[in-house]
């Protein structure tokens, strides 16, 4: 494994908002990621998607380390942290520093599936949440459909759950469902004529459940996504999370938490690209001087350092508001999500430019060398799209300014 670059955030960023417990989580997860994620990051980022290529070894290592316990209350086997939303987002940043795929697997498993399960009954939490926290089972979360992604209104969601006594009969199709090729269960948003929008837990080995082959993506190749088909799948009512017609609100609250996590991954990727680029700028020479001696790159990196500072502060503030009990911490969550992921895109693009031709390569055939900025450039793009596109985040913020009546 190549030597890791100097962590510039340790010199440039002064965290005045996180508690000592959260800062300890950062130190713990950083040490874990340096040991277990960094050596696997290149292979994870460059192998084509398949069930066999899923980084199960890293997933299992996270379980052994207790990282899946960080987001959850003590009653369910979690660590019971006071600021568990912020601690969870901090995990996302530290994992994404080395691999956005691994951060995304964690996000879907713990934030999207886990956070929703946490709202369920004792039966739901015992049967699904506790094995998820232990890492014994892998969770997935399904809202997106071929014709319903950002729009999750009842008229747009076509996955249908017909109530039949003490069970639902589910039919429909979900798309881009992360973790689904390896998941043991999926939390599914459905529309029911009798009960409105509902969140149901569907076990992937049930009759009528069919999961497609993993999609072939531009980036985030270690985060497997696929279509999931439901054909007359029987789901007992006891596997409904929450009351009838609460499904959409549960999904939106979970996705808001997810946006904070994605903002944190943007910061992780931006910081990684910044650190790799800084190391190159102080070592590479052109025209008789170091690249970092050129004022263009001095000013540009000063701008990027400021962006990363602001992005980290935004996600920390959004997370702290959620930890204080604000279910939808806007505008901070929307601001953090679009600002941080676009900061990562800006920094990755500059990183490729800083490395020049080397930054454009997946691998140099002459000696097998490779450079992180190319991977980040590909991996970050999806972060500007999923968990609510950045255009939607701007609309959410605009509603705070002008009101829903004007913005829509």
């Amino acid at each position: 494994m190549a030597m890791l670059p100097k962590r510039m955030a340790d010199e440039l960023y002064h965290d005045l908002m996180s508690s000592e417990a959260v800062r300890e989580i950062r130190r713990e997860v950083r040490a874990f990621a340096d040991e277990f994620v960094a050596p696997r990051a290149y292979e994870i980022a460059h192998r084509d998607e398949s069930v066999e290529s899923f980084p199960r070894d890293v997933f299992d290592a996270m379980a052994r380390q207790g990282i899946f316990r960080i987001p959850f209350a003590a009653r369910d086997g979690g660590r019971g942290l006071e600021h568990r939303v912020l601690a969870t987002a901090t995990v996302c940043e530290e994992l994404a520093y080395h691999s956005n795929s691994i951060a995304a697997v964690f996000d879907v498993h713990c934030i999207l599936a886990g956070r929703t399960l946490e709202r369920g009954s004792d039966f739901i939490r015992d049967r699904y949440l506790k094995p998820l926290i232990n890492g014994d089972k892998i969770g997935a979360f399904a809202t997106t459909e071929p014709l319903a992604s950002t729009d999750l209104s009842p008229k747009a969601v076509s996955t249908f759950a017909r109530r039949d006594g003490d069970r639902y009969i589910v039919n429909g199709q979900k798309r881009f469902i992360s973790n689904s090729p390896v998941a043991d269960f999926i939390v599914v948003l459905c529309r029911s004529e009798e009960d409105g929008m509902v969140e149901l837990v569907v076990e992937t080995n049930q009759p009528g459940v069919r999961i497609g082959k993993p999609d072939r993506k531009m980036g985030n190749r270690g985060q497997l996504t696929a279509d999931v088909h439901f054909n007359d799948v029987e789901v007992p009512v006891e596997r409904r999370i929450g009351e009838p017609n609460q499904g959409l609100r549960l999904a939106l609250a979970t996705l808001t938490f997810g946006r904070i996590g994605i903002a944190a991954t943007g910061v992780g990727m931006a910081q990684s690209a910044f650190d790799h680029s800084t190391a190159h700028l102080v070592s590479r020479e052109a025209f008789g001087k170091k690249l970092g001696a050129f004022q263009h790159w001095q000013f540009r990196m000063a701008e990027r350092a400021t962006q990363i500072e602001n992005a980290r502060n935004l996600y920390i503030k959004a997370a702290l508001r959620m930890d204080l009990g604000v279910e939808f911490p806007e505008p901070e969550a929307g601001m953090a999500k679009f600002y941080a992921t676009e900061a990562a895109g800006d920094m990755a693009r500059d990183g490729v430019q800083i490395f020049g031709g080397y930054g454009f390569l997946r691998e140099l055939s002459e000696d097998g060398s490779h450079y992180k900025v190319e991977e980040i450039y590909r991996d970050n793009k999806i972060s500007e799209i999923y968990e609510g596109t950045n255009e939607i985040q701007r609309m959410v913020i605009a509603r705070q300014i002008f009101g829903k009546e004007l913005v829509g």
Side-chain angles (χ1 to χ4, degrees), residues 211-248:
I211 298 173
K213 292 182 179 180
D215 301 314
R216 305 284 290 275
K217 307 186 302 300
M218 177 171 73
N220 263 28
R221 294 179 181 175
Q223 176 203 21
L224 303 183
T225 68
D227 279 26
V228 182
H229 300 263
F230 307 98
N231 182 20
D232 289 337
V233 179
E234 297 185 10
V235 181
V237 171
E238 65 181 349
R239 285 202 244 143
R240 183 186 68 215
I241 300 171
E243 299 301 317
N245 208 32
Q246 286 189 350
L248 182 58

Side-chain angles (χ1 to χ4, degrees), residues 1-132:
M1 182 184 72
M3 183 176 295
L4 298 177
K6 182 180 180 180
R7 294 270 191 159
M8 296 303 300
D10 292 342
E11 297 182 8
L12 297 176
Y13 187 75
H14 305 102
D15 187 354
L16 303 180
M17 292 187 283
S18 299
S19 66
E20 177 55 32
V22 171
R23 291 196 293 271
E24 178 56 35
I25 291 293
R26 184 181 293 280
R27 290 189 288 268
E28 174 191 340
V29 177
R30 179 176 297 184
F32 169 86
D34 286 350
E35 181 178 357
F36 290 97
V37 182
R40 294 275 284 112
Y42 177 77
E43 183 183 8
I44 289 169
H46 290 83
R47 287 181 65 179
D48 284 340
E49 293 89 341
S50 68
V51 171
E52 293 73 27
S53 69
F54 178 72
R56 175 79 66 165
D57 58 328
V58 180
F59 182 91
D60 290 342
M62 285 194 284
R64 290 194 303 273
Q65 181 68 28
I67 290 175
F68 298 147
R69 300 185 185 280
I70 291 170
F72 300 104
R75 68 170 185 173
D76 295 315
R79 297 200 190 182
L81 298 168
E82 180 183 4
H83 300 115
R84 54 198 181 104
V85 175
L86 178 53
T88 303
T90 301
V91 173
C92 289
E93 180 189 341
E94 292 299 327
L95 294 176
Y97 185 89
H98 290 307
S99 172
N100 196 49
S101 288
I102 295 299
V105 169
F106 171 84
D107 176 279
V108 172
H109 183 71
C110 287
I111 297 181
L112 299 189
R115 177 73 164 188
T116 311
L117 293 169
E118 192 176 36
R119 309 294 184 91
S121 63
D122 290 345
F123 167 78
I124 292 281
R125 297 201 316 278
D126 285 340
R127 185 179 176 100
Y128 300 107
L129 180 59
K130 289 181 180 179
L132 178 148

Side-chain angles (χ1 to χ4, degrees), residues 280 348 351-362 370-375 377:
H280 192 69
V352 171
Q353 194 73 16
I354 287 165
F355 278 85
Y358 294 101
F360 190 68
L361 297 177
R362 287 186 291 131
H370 45 82
Y371 302 91
K372 189 72 175 179
V373 291
E374 173 273 333
E375 174 189 321
Y377 190 72

